[in-house]
Amino acid sequence: MHVIDYEGIMKELRDLGATRVLIQSPEGLRKEAEALADFLEARGLEVILQGNVNYGACDPADHEAKLLGCDALVHLGHSKIPMALEVPTIFVPAFAEVDVVEALRKNMRDIRKLGERIGLVTTVQHVNSIERAISFLEGEGLRVIVGRGDSRVAWPGQVLGCNFSAARVDADGMLFVGSGYFHPVGLAITVKKPVLAVNPYSGDSFWVSEEAERLVRRRWAQIALAMDARRFGVITSSKKGQLRLAEARRVAELLRKNGREAKLIVMNTVSYPELEGFDFDAYVVVACPRIAIDDAENWRKPVLTPPEVELMLGLRDEYGFDEIQGVRRELQNR
Amino acid sequence: MHVIDYEGIMKELRDLGATRVLIQSPEGLRKEAEALADFLEARGLEVILQGNVNYGACDPADHEAKLLGCDALVHLGHSKIPMALEVPTIFVPAFAEVDVVEALRKNMRDIRKLGERIGLVTTVQHVNSIERAISFLEGEGLRVIVGRGDSRVAWPGQVLGCNFSAARVDADGMLFVGSGYFHPVGLAITVKKPVLAVNPYSGDSFWVSEEAERLVRRRWAQIALAMDARRFGVITSSKKGQLRLAEARRVAELLRKNGREAKLIVMNTVSYPELEGFDFDAYVVVACPRIAIDDAENWRKPVLTPPEVELMLGLRDEYGFDEIQGVRRELQNR
């Protein structure tokens, strides 16, 4: 189901002179991680598998690799985010073996409704198909615009759940190719344009605006719940790509200036049950935006994102999605 | 309920010149962690609370403290285990406010059954009461022996769930003062002597041998379940006091030499659900012994400790508890 270039990884490891390797994988690539371990062990490397589930490139196991004396980390399933890492790390995207063109063809009637200039974005699983998608759509007479995005994304047209920089293009509407709700909904809230999501696995599509409105209503309900809270826990994460300490401090300061108490909290994986013993009335998660938004029902206290705190305090009017921005491409290598 | 010396901590932090501090706490000391944060913030320090639940001194958040730019880590509730830490760390035991003598008095009839020479051990919560306990027991005409233990324990007579070195004394029977089952059961399996456990909170006591036999029977059932397993995942932890990589390698080697497949796995917090995607038939946990023993019912695959692997392979006969040993006191500072 996923294409992983084992030989290519072995070659890179050989170039690094690695003899002991840590392999990190998301839940959906456990079997591939084991197969890669077999492959590398058969070629004389010592391999350790990272057993904790990995949620993204924002959570590299480089420090564990170093603790274990590994020469290199192989991180499966995600493209690179620039971070200061403690061992050489090979980010290996796992591309889905699915034909995106077939799904696009099936949905051409809706795609045409996006307008003349169509912005095309996708997730890492399908970035390898983006050229084929462009050719097909242009063959259908459409004008396709693919943004380069900032330094947090590796591929043209790639979006993350926390970064839609590649969608900041001069288009009439956005075409999202991928599965799930979180990415297209975040995209619709961020770009404020019509978004059509096409699922390349099922061939189905949906217009995202309704889902986006539903989410924003749910988030306003959270904000209302937090309105009377006095003591806030402002949580950042020690995962390297989610460690937003300056932003957490800014949010805590904002709360204090507006008559609330705020304490800084750090967690690695942020989950509510571990916080039960604390005496906070509400939480702000300044880490991955998915935590507050996707997981709120598992929290027994209101949980907000930073822009939602600003809404609660009356410091902004319009609902804003919590993006984690990289640096602009043209500034990246200066 | 717990005595924590806030002034003393402030003084130590001042001596360290600390301006930003991370506070780490177990589930039962969350309120105390918050109160300490209030206390330190009122005195001009910046404080960050560690939100993940801490299970022991074996899991210090020193690396996170460093990542966050903290000058010091305050680790609440546990006594120090010698480890190479990345920031100055103050281990603050939290002593229970409970009178152990009252519970001992109530159980004197059973205590006398332990024999003439009684070994006395307890957990960190009650080590501050050990002198009073000795005086009382000696006043009752008993001979009390308190072992010093190895470098992994900080106080005379202290035991951990993974270390009973302070119980290796020339006594007829062992008196355990504390709550819970895990420590006294591990103790009974390790010392192979009668153990009486006295709970200072409830005043109740029980003879541990029956519980210990029940546990050993349960563990033999796990061993039997693992007997036919072909592929083993051998898990160590990246928590600094549980990182037993050499032992994990030894176990993996042992399995391979005896016709099984074995792969090394590292996790931070070891829990079964994150491993579900892997294709192993059984696991060995070479981290905290509590994981395999206390948590086995939550695993859908057999899970063993290292000595249990030796039993399974027929390399030893007698059930052995998985201890993590420190170095001998007299060797520690050479």
Side-chain angles (χ1 to χ4, degrees):
Chain A
M1 182 123 149
H2 289 93
V3 190
I4 292 178
D5 176 11
Y6 295 156
E7 292 282 1
I9 295 168
M10 184 66 219
K11 190 184 168 308
E12 280 197 64
L13 290 171
R14 216 165 252 151
D15 290 349
L16 288 168
T19 58
R20 190 187 301 168
V21 177
L22 182 64
I23 301 176
Q24 186 178 24
S25 54
E27 210 157 17
L29 296 176
R30 296 309 216 179
K31 301 279 188 297
E32 287 81 353
E34 277 187 79
L36 176 60
D38 285 336
F39 184 91
L40 298 178
E41 282 174 350
R43 281 150 189 82
L45 290 174
E46 185 185 8
V47 175
I48 304 175
L49 293 164
Q50 227 288 350
N52 291 118
V53 169
N54 171 261
Y55 296 99
C58 50
D59 180 24
D62 60 311
H63 179 66
E64 286 192 329
K66 193 166 173 213
L67 261 183
L68 296 164
C70 293
D71 312 303
L73 169 65
V74 176
H75 179 108
L76 292 185
H78 309 109
S79 60
K80 183 177 177 174
I81 291 176
M83 290 171 288
L85 299 178
E86 298 178 38
V87 296
T89 299
I90 306 174
F91 288 88
V92 184
F95 300 125
E97 281 189 321
V98 60
D99 183 13
V100 302
V101 166
E102 203 178 319
L104 293 176
R105 183 175 291 121
K106 195 178 149 195
N107 290 284
M108 272 317 295
R109 225 169 56 156
D110 276 322
I111 291 171
R112 288 189 198 282
K113 291 183 193 159
L114 281 168
E116 280 175 27
R117 301 162 58 86
I118 294 179
L120 175 63
V121 292
T122 185
T123 54
V124 66
Q125 293 89 342
H126 311 291
V127 285
N128 63 329
S129 302
I130 207 159
E131 287 300 333
R132 287 199 64 220
I134 295 169
S135 298
F136 169 75
L137 292 168
E138 288 181 345
E140 293 285 321
L142 298 173
R143 175 116 181 252
V144 182
I145 304 159
V146 175
R148 186 62 190 87
D150 65 25
S151 66
R152 201 166 167 87
V153 291
W155 303 74
Q158 183 190 1
V159 292
L160 307 174
C162 61
N163 187 296
F164 303 101
S165 56
R168 293 206 167 75
V169 291
D170 181 21
D172 302 321
M174 301 299 300
L175 173 59
F176 170 84
V177 175
S179 55
Y181 282 82
F182 192 80
H183 291 77
V185 164
L187 175 67
I189 292 171
T190 302
V191 299
K192 303 180 184 72
K193 284 175 190 170
V195 174
L196 179 72
V198 173
N199 184 326
Y201 300 104
S202 66
D204 296 339
S205 71
F206 70 99
W207 289 94
V208 182
S209 59
E210 206 175 303
E211 283 295 330
E213 280 163 31
R214 197 172 300 149
L215 176 75
V216 171
R217 279 200 301 276
R218 272 207 324 267
R219 299 310 302 163
W220 271 108
Q222 280 285 312
I223 295 168
L225 282 172
M227 220 56 111
D228 295 328
R230 193 180 53 85
R231 271 176 85 83
F232 285 77
V234 180
I235 306 168
T236 189
S237 167
S238 56
K239 296 183 193 298
K240 274 189 184 151
Q242 301 181 14
L243 179 50
R244 302 160 70 190
L245 185 56
E247 175 70 352
R249 279 208 188 96
R250 185 187 73 84
V251 170
E253 231 8 84
L254 218 53
L255 286 162
R256 288 180 195 129
K257 273 191 194 144
N258 286 274
R260 319 293 178 109
E261 287 177 46
K263 288 223 183 313
L264 293 174
I265 298 174
V266 66
M267 302 181 80
N268 189 277
T269 297
V270 179
S271 77
Y272 179 70
E274 299 200 54
L275 298 167
E276 285 234 311
F278 285 117
D279 189 28
F280 293 102
D281 305 318
Y283 291 94
V284 186
V285 177
V286 193
C288 169
R290 267 191 111 126
I291 300 163
I293 295 174
D294 256 9
D295 201 39
E297 66 197 39
N298 295 318
W299 289 58
R300 287 166 58 182
K301 298 282 170 73
V303 54
L304 306 181
T305 65
E308 290 167 355
V309 171
E310 294 171 1
L311 286 165
M312 178 190 78
L313 297 174
L315 304 173
R316 69 184 289 164
D317 299 319
E318 197 180 20
Y319 187 85
F321 198 81
D322 181 30
E323 270 191 283
I324 308 180
Q325 273 151 13
V327 293
R328 291 214 319 270
R329 285 270 157 211
E330 62 272 27
L331 298 176
Q332 195 180 356
N333 293 319
R334 277 199 190 167
Chain B
M1 181 123 146
H2 289 94
V3 191
I4 292 178
D5 177 10
Y6 295 157
E7 292 283 1
I9 295 168
M10 183 66 218
K11 193 186 165 306
E12 280 197 64
L13 290 171
R14 216 166 252 149
D15 291 348
L16 288 169
T19 59
R20 188 187 301 168
V21 177
L22 181 65
I23 301 176
Q24 187 178 22
S25 54
E27 210 157 18
L29 295 176
R30 295 307 216 179
K31 301 279 188 298
E32 287 81 352
E34 276 187 81
L36 175 60
D38 285 336
F39 184 91
L40 298 178
E41 282 175 348
R43 281 150 190 82
L45 290 173
E46 185 185 7
V47 175
I48 304 175
L49 293 164
Q50 225 290 350
N52 291 117
V53 169
N54 171 260
Y55 296 98
C58 50
D59 180 25
D62 60 311
H63 180 65
E64 286 193 327
K66 192 164 175 218
L67 261 184
L68 295 162
C70 293
D71 312 302
L73 169 65
V74 176
H75 179 108
L76 291 185
H78 309 110
S79 61
K80 183 178 176 173
I81 291 176
M83 291 170 288
L85 299 179
E86 298 178 37
V87 297
T89 299
I90 306 174
F91 288 87
V92 184
F95 299 125
E97 280 189 320
V98 62
D99 184 11
V100 301
V101 166
E102 205 178 317
L104 294 176
R105 182 176 291 122
K106 197 180 147 194
N107 290 285
M108 272 317 295
R109 226 172 53 159
D110 276 323
I111 292 172
R112 286 189 200 285
K113 291 183 195 160
L114 282 168
E116 279 176 27
R117 303 161 58 85
I118 294 180
L120 176 63
V121 292
T122 184
T123 55
V124 65
Q125 293 89 341
H126 311 291
V127 285
N128 63 328
S129 302
I130 207 159
E131 287 300 331
R132 289 198 63 221
I134 295 169
S135 299
F136 168 76
L137 292 169
E138 289 181 343
E140 293 285 321
L142 298 173
R143 177 114 182 256
V144 182
I145 303 158
V146 175
R148 187 62 191 89
D150 65 25
S151 66
R152 201 165 166 87
V153 291
W155 305 74
Q158 183 189 359
V159 291
L160 307 175
C162 61
N163 186 294
F164 303 102
S165 54
R168 294 208 164 75
V169 293
D170 180 22
D172 302 320
M174 301 299 301
L175 174 58
F176 170 83
V177 175
S179 54
Y181 281 82
F182 191 80
H183 291 77
V185 165
L187 176 65
I189 292 171
T190 303
V191 299
K192 303 181 183 73
K193 285 176 190 170
V195 175
L196 180 71
V198 172
N199 183 325
Y201 300 103
S202 66
D204 296 339
S205 71
F206 70 99
W207 289 95
V208 181
S209 58
E210 207 175 303
E211 283 296 330
E213 280 163 30
R214 198 171 300 148
L215 177 76
V216 171
R217 277 199 302 274
R218 273 208 322 269
R219 298 311 301 163
W220 271 109
Q222 281 284 313
I223 294 167
L225 282 173
M227 219 57 108
D228 294 327
R230 192 180 55 86
R231 270 176 85 83
F232 285 77
V234 180
I235 306 167
T236 190
S237 168
S238 56
K239 296 182 192 298
K240 274 190 185 151
Q242 300 181 14
L243 179 49
R244 302 160 70 189
L245 185 56
E247 175 70 352
R249 278 209 190 96
R250 185 186 73 83
V251 170
E253 229 12 80
L254 218 53
L255 285 162
R256 287 179 197 131
K257 271 190 197 147
N258 286 272
R260 319 295 178 110
E261 286 176 47
K263 287 223 182 317
L264 293 174
I265 299 174
V266 66
M267 302 182 81
N268 190 277
T269 296
V270 179
S271 78
Y272 179 70
E274 299 199 55
L275 297 167
E276 286 234 313
F278 286 116
D279 188 27
F280 293 102
D281 305 318
Y283 290 94
V284 186
V285 177
V286 193
C288 169
R290 266 190 111 124
I291 300 163
I293 294 174
D294 257 9
D295 202 36
E297 65 197 40
N298 295 317
W299 289 58
R300 286 166 60 184
K301 298 282 171 73
V303 53
L304 305 182
T305 65
E308 290 167 355
V309 171
E310 294 171 1
L311 286 164
M312 178 190 79
L313 297 175
L315 304 173
R316 68 186 287 164
D317 298 319
E318 196 178 22
Y319 187 85
F321 198 80
D322 180 31
E323 271 192 282
I324 308 180
Q325 273 152 14
V327 293
R328 290 215 318 271
R329 284 271 158 212
E330 61 272 28
L331 299 177
Q332 195 181 356
N333 294 317
R334 275 197 193 168

